[in-house]
Amino acid sequence: MTAAIDPWFEALVSAANELAVTTLGLESSAITAASRGAPLSLTSSFVALVGTESALQLGFSAGPAECSALAKALLAIAPEDHLSHEDTVDALGEIANILAGLVKARLASTWQIGLPMVVSGCVEIPSNMDTTTATVRWGSVQAQLLLLRGRGKAV
Amino acid sequence: MNILVVDDSKASRMILKRALRQAGFGVHPVQEAGDGAEALRVIDEGNPGLVLCDWNMPRMNGMELLQQLKIRGLRVTLGFVTSEGTDDVRARAREAGAAFFVSKPITSEKLEEALRPFLGAS
């Protein structure tokens, strides 16, 4: 897996694993594929990590059913129960926020965490940014982990 | 004792309230606020005994709320419950007068340990 040599992405994957089995209460978490520069679509939830000289965005992307399942997992709501779109978006933001906190604890203790941003549809990545993605299976839910950062910035 | 939960995420407030119940503190009434400014209003109106506050929030964040409480002479026990759980942030919170610090992900065990000195054994 090419992306695994990136310490930021390694931290993100490790954080995602912890998030899944603790906060989301899912039985497992596994990366099933990795790529670089893949197009972002569906619904994406990001949080910025900001250092003194550089910054990055991290989060995840998933389809509508998967987003609903993740939000309900976070809130410990039964899959068959209704969760409003507003509450789903809020929960997706909180998942990214917790993910950012877990990454910060692993690799970026002095960096600041930004406020979550949840977007729907295709995200156009600026040409000066690198995007690393990996398909992750959180329990039975498939999502994409996302890491965006400015090209040429050192860790 | 009245507890005020301050977080811009409704999901996070729900998780925190659930964790409070699971930690055995369900007998304490819980109020909510979406940011520091709203929390100040709630504190002015009802003076909760304990505030569980997020660190990052729009409009007025947790540290700004803590400063405002000092400026206004409001004696409320405030602690942070946040994803910003590093030693650096903990030290800043402690220096600013935070009574406790709980890092996310929230668990009932973490809450029980942090809040026992203020709410008693669950």
Side-chain angles (χ1 to χ4, degrees):
Chain A
M1 189 173 72
T2 306
I5 60 171
D6 180 340
W8 286 106
F9 204 74
E10 275 191 314
L12 177 59
V13 169
S14 171
N17 291 340
E18 182 179 342
L19 174 95
V21 299
T22 56
T23 307
L24 300 180
L26 302 171
E27 68 271 22
S28 63
S29 171
I31 298 295
T32 57
S35 61
R36 186 170 286 274
L40 306 178
S41 59
L42 311 171
T43 295
S44 303
S45 182
F46 297 95
V47 170
L49 264 180
V50 183
T52 53
E53 295 183 2
S54 59
L56 55 84
Q57 298 267 348
L58 61 86
F60 64 96
S61 181
E66 289 78 12
C67 283
S68 177
L70 291 172
K72 289 176 180 176
L74 177 72
L75 299 171
I77 291 175
E80 63 274 17
D81 287 348
H82 174 74
L83 189 64
S84 73
H85 176 72
E86 183 184 358
D87 288 346
T88 300
V89 168
D90 181 61
L92 296 175
E94 183 59 17
I95 291 171
N97 181 47
I98 295 170
L99 199 55
L102 293 171
V103 169
K104 172 175 170 159
R106 283 164 168 77
L107 211 56
S109 63
T110 61
W111 290 36
Q112 303 296 310
I113 298 175
L115 294 172
M117 179 175 63
V118 179
V119 296
S120 292
C122 185
V123 178
E124 189 169 334
I125 306 300
S127 59
N128 63 344
M129 294 195 81
D130 275 331
T131 309
T132 308
T133 69
T135 303
V136 62
R137 184 164 283 280
W138 280 327
S140 61
V141 180
Q142 183 167 298
Q144 273 193 310
L145 295 178
L146 309 170
L147 180 68
L148 287 73
R149 56 185 165 157
R151 202 162 287 143
K153 296 289 186 186
V155 172
Chain B
M1 181 185 291
N2 287 337
I3 300 172
L4 174 60
V5 172
V6 189
D7 198 306
D8 56 313
S9 166
K10 181 181 174 185
S12 190
R13 297 196 302 268
M14 286 175 67
I15 293 166
L16 194 43
K17 286 192 294 181
R18 186 177 69 224
L20 281 168
R21 288 194 299 272
Q22 290 170 341
F25 300 128
V27 295
H28 301 277
V30 177
Q31 294 174 282
E32 298 181 42
D35 57 40
E38 190 181 344
L40 269 182
R41 283 199 300 275
V42 174
I43 293 167
D44 274 338
E45 291 167 6
N47 199 21
L50 188 64
V51 180
L52 279 59
C53 187
D54 190 17
W55 184 272
N56 291 318
M57 293 180 289
R59 296 213 297 162
M60 182 187 292
N61 65 34
M63 285 292 270
E64 290 166 341
L65 172 61
L66 192 51
Q67 288 167 353
Q68 282 298 318
L69 293 177
K70 284 183 182 174
I71 290 168
R72 297 174 186 218
L74 294 167
R75 301 181 68 173
V76 182
T77 302
L78 183 146
F80 288 105
V81 180
T82 173
S83 56
E84 297 265 12
T86 59
D87 291 343
D88 174 57
V89 171
R90 285 173 182 270
R92 287 169 56 195
R94 194 167 45 242
E95 286 167 12
F100 57 88
F101 197 100
V102 178
S103 60
K104 294 179 181 177
I106 302 163
T107 65
S108 57
E109 291 81 10
K110 286 183 190 175
L111 271 188
E112 205 276 334
E113 184 180 353
L115 302 186
R116 195 188 310 130
F118 312 99
L119 298 176
S122 57

